């Protein structure tokens, strides 16, 4: 099934994949056209040519990362041997997704640290403060304005880098 067709079928927030995420890590729906568990989902899936479906939860330890849908458009049943292979694939997919998220989180953290460091330098220079006092100042501004520290820092850096600011300083 194409991604566009899949998104139209899945759009109802019910079906094997949603139940796999919420209730069971693996849910097989053989002979989908006769399944009564998902009254809004089944007619749309069958209309798209789905005869059987397997929903698998993608998770690492206790964290659910998402779900994986596997559709059969040829037969009414999912072969139990294929279920085992699908579980193995889902495990590998979850590990890869988890690693990608971890890398993204670390990259974001490094970028945030860099921006906060630049903003600290700006505050230190602008107000003649040492590093600790400059950081306390930024935390106080963040707390009083209810704006995240990284966003305050980014705004300071953006202001310092704006062409208008550079022209007046030159």
């Amino acid at each position: 099934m194409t991604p566009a067709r899949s998104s139209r079928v899945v759009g109802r927030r019910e079906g094997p994949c949603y139940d796999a995420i919420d209730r069971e890590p693996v849910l097989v729906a053989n002979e989908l056209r006769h399944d009564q568990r998902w009254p809004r989902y089944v007619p749309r899936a069958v209309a798209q040519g789905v005869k059987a479906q397997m929903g698998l939860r993608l998770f690492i330890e206790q964290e659910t990362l998402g779900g994986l849908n596997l559709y059969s458009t040829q037969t009414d049943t999912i072969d139990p041997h294929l279920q085992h292979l699908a579980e193995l694939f889902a495990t590998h997919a979850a590990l890869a997704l988890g690693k990608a998220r971890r890398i993204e989180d670390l990259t974001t953290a490094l970028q945030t640290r860099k921006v906060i460091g630049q903003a600290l330098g700006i505050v230190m220079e602008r107000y003649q403060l040492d590093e600790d006092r400059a950081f306390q100042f930024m935390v106080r501004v963040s707390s009083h304005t209810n704006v995240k520290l990284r966003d305050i820092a980014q705004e300071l850096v953006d202001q310092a880098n704006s062409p208008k600011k550079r022209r007046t300083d030159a």
Side-chain angles (χ1 to χ4, degrees):
M1 179 177 301
T2 66
R5 288 174 72 191
S6 178
S7 67
R8 284 194 301 264
V9 169
V10 174
R12 295 289 178 182
R13 296 230 179 263
E14 70 172 20
C17 194
Y18 283 101
D19 282 0
I21 289 171
D22 290 339
R23 295 186 186 106
E24 304 174 36
V26 179
L27 201 142
V28 176
N30 290 316
E31 298 181 0
L32 188 63
R33 71 181 175 278
H34 300 298
D35 205 308
Q36 302 294 313
R37 293 175 283 186
W38 310 288
R40 295 177 310 190
Y41 174 79
V42 169
R44 295 186 83 195
V46 170
Q48 295 292 324
V50 178
K51 295 182 177 187
Q53 182 178 341
M54 184 183 323
L56 300 109
R57 181 185 314 151
L58 299 178
F59 63 96
I60 321 172
E61 298 169 9
Q62 299 302 319
E63 181 185 4
T64 297
L65 304 174
L68 175 66
N69 279 313
L70 299 174
Y71 303 102
S72 172
T73 57
Q74 301 297 314
T75 64
D76 284 339
T77 59
I78 305 284
D79 183 323
H81 175 69
L82 293 177
Q83 180 178 337
H84 175 71
L85 290 175
E87 289 178 51
L88 185 61
F89 177 79
T91 299
H92 286 275
L95 290 171
L97 182 58
K99 183 171 183 160
R101 284 187 177 179
R102 177 84 172 131
I103 289 170
E104 182 181 352
D105 290 348
L106 290 172
T107 301
T108 300
L110 285 172
Q111 182 62 30
T112 298
R113 183 176 183 270
K114 177 183 171 187
V115 170
I116 289 172
Q118 291 171 337
L120 277 174
I122 293 166
V123 170
M124 289 168 66
E125 189 275 330
R126 187 177 291 169
Y127 300 109
Q128 301 299 305
L129 300 173
D130 65 26
E131 185 177 359
D132 288 339
R133 300 227 22 210
F135 185 73
Q136 290 170 3
F137 172 80
M138 288 176 54
V139 168
R140 201 167 42 254
V141 170
S142 171
S143 177
H144 288 136
T145 60
N146 201 26
V147 176
K148 291 182 179 182
L149 181 63
R150 69 173 178 252
D151 296 334
I152 298 284
Q154 187 64 59
E155 187 175 333
L156 282 166
V157 171
D158 290 347
Q159 287 174 0
N161 286 329
S162 73
K164 183 179 177 183
K165 175 75 174 167
R166 283 199 309 265
R167 268 189 251 119
T168 61
D169 289 344

